[in-house]
Amino acid sequence: MIDRFLRQAGSLPLAALIGLAACSGGGSDSGGYVPPPPAPPPVSSSEPEWQPGVFEAASRFKDRCEIPRSGVDLEGNPYPDEPGSTTIENFWLRSWTHETYLWNDEVPDEDPASYDSRLAYFDILRTTAVTPSGAPKDQFHFSEPTEQFLADRNAAPSAGYGARIRTYAARPPRDVRVLYTDPGTPASAVVDGQQQLVRGSRILEVDGVDLVWADTAAEIDTLLAGLYPDAVGEVHSFLVEDPGDPEPREIMLTAAAVSTVPVGRVEALDQPGGRVGYLLLNTFSPYSTEEALIDAMRELEAAAVDDLVLDLRYNGGGLLAIASQLSYMIAGPGYTSGRTFERLRFNDDAGAYNPVTGAFNDPTPFFATALGFSVADGTPLPRLDLRRVYVLATEATCSASESVINALRGVDFEVVLIGDTTCGKPYGFYPTDNCGETYYTIQFQGVNNKGFGDYPNGFTPRNSGAIYAESVPGCTAPDDLSADLGDPAEALLRAALDYRETGQCLGGMATASSRASSPASQTPSLAEGRPLPVLVDPMTVNRDMRLPNEGGRL
């Protein structure tokens, strides 16, 4: 990574195959000949006309593209594209939104032909309402090229360094720091006895450009080119300042083909009163997460841990089915058997059916076996059979991560939240391809076994004072970057261990959230300075509803 800062995603692989059969009656002189089925009607070349409030089926406009693709995609599936136009693509977006968007009665109905860009038209197809806190009701309206989406969901390696960075202040004086590095990557390599990047390293310069104060377009371009390399083999220089060391050092990083590492660390910590497991899970995607998570849980099961600290502080989401598996492996069948992990709530027109798939709206259970993502389907999952879990969270804890919190609370399993208020995304989507662009529009709200799913302002530790968020037992604590993840001295993990031992927040009632304790709080940014863009990747800020047996194209 020093790759893209956030990831969100999922897929909708649905294809119907209709079989045609014919037979000849007795006495026929056909000699057994069966005529071929009639050719499908030709696709009309005329442009559709907009009638306010009248919506034709989205299927009429699907895959009719201004620039049709040819050949096969990354997964080997042939492209379904036929000749069309931008207007037809916009009509598909309009009808698809009307059929599937959660708040479809709050979307403006504008003429698709009046927009010459499909992305500009897609941008208006959402609600403009706000939550009680004043935040936008829909903060998660995205699209990305389908080629990128397919690469991400298959964990295809991409150019990067293997470091997750965070932009604490995007305007001068900027503050960009390393949150963690993945093992076996350029960022974690040891050169002259020193790891290239460490947790908390502050990036001061990139290729000779001052990241903190640079303010021209050319300088910003240089910074982005170094932080987010396009190709394997690119070499860039960085001036960095490590925690506790005021002397900056220069390093050279060569971009390599790196893939997402879901499980960052798993430990068994001997503590007063028993052994505590620590699991750092940075994403629920890609498919390889299933195997990595099962291996980690087997290790903790063998260590006979008495409690678990689940570190989701940077986990933006991913495959909902794997979130369900994780919850089962923590709580076991005593809490989860026969109960709902999550049920989807669709728009008011959907009734008892899923408007995206057309299937009956069955709830997602707590899965007790592997599902075939990366471990053989039906393999029994390990389980810890605990009675509580300590979740480490920040504002980057989102979507499928929040589903774990909500689902376990829905079966009266004790969840203790340590850190900060989560992002507040009880919603999800089925990312859908049309003509080379994959669209993410909110299509459902997830609710737990008790029917609760109203946390658009997130979950928050009980002593945080965040009045609009859903309160959960626990304590606020800063993600201060002063110690490595998994180190018992690190602030969030230390707060969890202290709460486990005493049942109290030893720091007392918090007066501000941990966001105010971030490094950038010491050097406020200048409002008039040129911002450093933060690249957004939707793959990890999502509930991805796909199962392996759904296979095939989006």
Side-chain angles (χ1 to χ4, degrees):
M1 309 178 223
I2 298 187
D3 312 301
R4 292 161 297 169
F5 175 51
L6 292 177
R7 294 190 171 233
Q8 307 175 316
S11 74
L12 174 60
L14 289 175
L17 185 61
I18 302 174
L20 297 176
C23 61
S24 58
S28 168
D29 63 355
S30 65
Y33 170 74
V34 178
V43 176
S44 171
S45 61
S46 63
E47 298 282 72
E49 294 186 4
W50 174 61
Q51 297 181 56
V54 178
F55 299 87
E56 295 189 67
S59 57
R60 181 193 167 193
F61 311 112
K62 185 78 168 72
D63 303 320
R64 295 173 58 186
C65 312
E66 179 186 17
I67 305 175
R69 298 164 292 177
S70 60
V72 298
D73 66 21
L74 182 149
E75 297 177 342
N77 303 297
Y79 292 119
D81 300 358
E82 297 177 351
S85 66
T86 296
T87 294
I88 295 175
E89 290 187 43
N90 288 349
F91 266 91
W92 175 79
L93 285 168
R94 174 177 178 263
S95 292
W96 174 69
T97 299
H98 179 71
E99 290 170 3
T100 70
Y101 188 59
L102 180 60
W103 304 291
N104 59 356
D105 57 349
E106 300 178 25
V107 177
D109 186 12
E110 297 189 17
D111 185 357
S114 65
Y115 287 79
D116 59 8
S117 163
R118 61 187 183 181
L119 299 185
Y121 189 63
F122 176 65
D123 189 54
I124 70 161
L125 297 177
R126 56 171 147 178
T127 180
T128 57
V130 298
T131 68
S133 70
K137 188 173 174 180
D138 183 353
Q139 305 179 61
F140 306 99
H141 200 70
F142 293 98
S143 74
E144 67 173 338
T146 296
E147 181 180 353
Q148 182 63 56
F149 167 77
L150 292 174
D152 284 342
R153 86 171 186 186
N154 286 277
S158 59
Y161 309 115
R164 173 81 173 264
I165 64 171
R166 175 177 174 181
T167 300
Y168 284 93
R171 296 180 186 273
R174 298 184 189 87
D175 191 351
V176 178
R177 306 203 183 202
V178 175
L179 298 179
Y180 63 84
T181 63
D182 287 327
T185 61
S188 62
V190 175
V191 177
D192 296 330
Q194 169 70 55
Q195 185 168 307
Q196 291 281 71
L197 292 172
V198 299
R199 175 169 164 81
S201 293
R202 185 178 184 185
I203 301 174
L204 303 177
E205 292 182 6
V206 179
D207 290 334
V209 173
D210 186 343
L211 182 148
V212 179
W213 293 105
D215 203 36
T216 69
E219 289 173 326
I220 296 298
D221 287 344
T222 298
L223 294 174
L224 292 176
L227 290 172
Y228 308 104
D230 287 328
V232 171
E234 288 185 21
V235 180
H236 297 276
S237 66
F238 296 84
L239 186 69
V240 300
E241 181 182 271
D242 296 330
D245 186 352
E247 187 66 30
R249 59 190 177 91
E250 186 172 1
I251 63 172
M252 303 294 291
L253 290 175
T254 302
V258 296
S259 299
T260 300
V261 178
V263 175
R265 178 166 296 183
V266 57
E267 304 278 356
L269 307 172
D270 289 320
Q271 295 291 307
R275 183 168 288 179
V276 178
Y278 171 81
L279 174 62
L280 172 64
L281 184 65
N282 291 322
T283 179
F284 289 97
S285 292
Y287 288 171
S288 60
T289 303
E290 183 179 52
E291 182 176 16
L293 193 51
I294 289 173
D295 288 345
M297 281 296 183
R298 284 176 176 156
E299 184 176 337
L300 294 174
E301 183 183 40
V305 297
D306 302 293
D307 277 302
L308 176 67
V309 176
L310 177 62
D311 196 339
L312 300 178
R313 74 181 78 190
Y314 306 131
N315 191 319
L319 291 156
L320 189 77
I322 292 179
S324 169
Q325 291 174 319
L326 171 62
S327 301
Y328 169 81
M329 288 189 281
I330 294 171
Y335 283 94
T336 64
S337 181
R339 297 190 175 177
T340 293
F341 175 78
E342 185 167 283
R343 180 182 291 278
L344 306 185
R345 181 181 293 160
F346 295 98
N347 63 42
D348 291 339
D349 300 324
Y353 292 88
N354 181 323
V356 183
T357 67
F360 187 78
N361 185 18
D362 286 323
T364 299
F366 288 86
F367 290 114
T369 65
L371 298 170
F373 288 109
S374 50
V375 175
D377 189 15
T379 302
L381 299 179
R383 63 180 204 253
L384 303 182
D385 292 331
L386 300 176
R387 57 189 180 88
R388 74 172 71 87
V389 64
Y390 299 86
V391 176
L392 307 187
T394 66
E395 68 274 19
T397 305
C398 202
S399 200
S401 286
E402 292 174 300
S403 290
V404 171
I405 297 169
N406 195 46
L408 289 174
R409 284 166 55 83
V411 295
D412 296 318
F413 186 86
E414 184 181 357
V415 176
V416 178
L417 194 65
I418 303 293
D420 200 359
T421 305
T422 64
C423 86
K425 186 173 181 287
Y427 312 115
F429 24 56
Y430 290 78
T432 304
D433 164 74
N434 192 58
C435 299
E437 190 76 8
T438 290
Y439 297 95
Y440 302 74
T441 195
I442 290 178
Q443 292 154 321
F444 61 85
Q445 178 180 6
V447 300
N448 64 18
N449 190 69
K450 295 182 177 181
F452 176 76
D454 296 320
Y455 51 93
N457 295 110
F459 293 101
T460 195
R462 189 156 289 168
N463 71 338
S464 73
I467 60 175
Y468 294 107
E470 179 68 15
S471 179
V472 178
C475 309
T476 57
D479 185 24
D480 62 4
L481 309 183
S482 64
D484 202 6
L485 297 171
D487 184 338
E490 188 275 321
L492 267 67
L493 179 53
R494 183 71 262 158
L497 296 175
D498 288 343
Y499 190 95
R500 172 183 176 271
E501 188 174 349
T502 68
Q504 300 178 35
C505 301
L506 296 186
M509 179 64 70
T511 57
S513 80
S514 63
R515 294 174 200 179
S517 302
S518 68
S521 66
Q522 308 304 316
T523 53
S525 288
L526 305 177
E528 66 273 13
R530 187 184 297 270
L532 179 69
V534 177
L535 300 191
V536 175
D537 177 352
M539 178 57 72
T540 61
V541 190
N542 185 31
R543 286 170 166 80
D544 183 342
M545 304 304 299
R546 197 165 18 93
L547 293 171
N549 60 8
E550 291 178 323
R553 185 180 52 81
L554 289 175

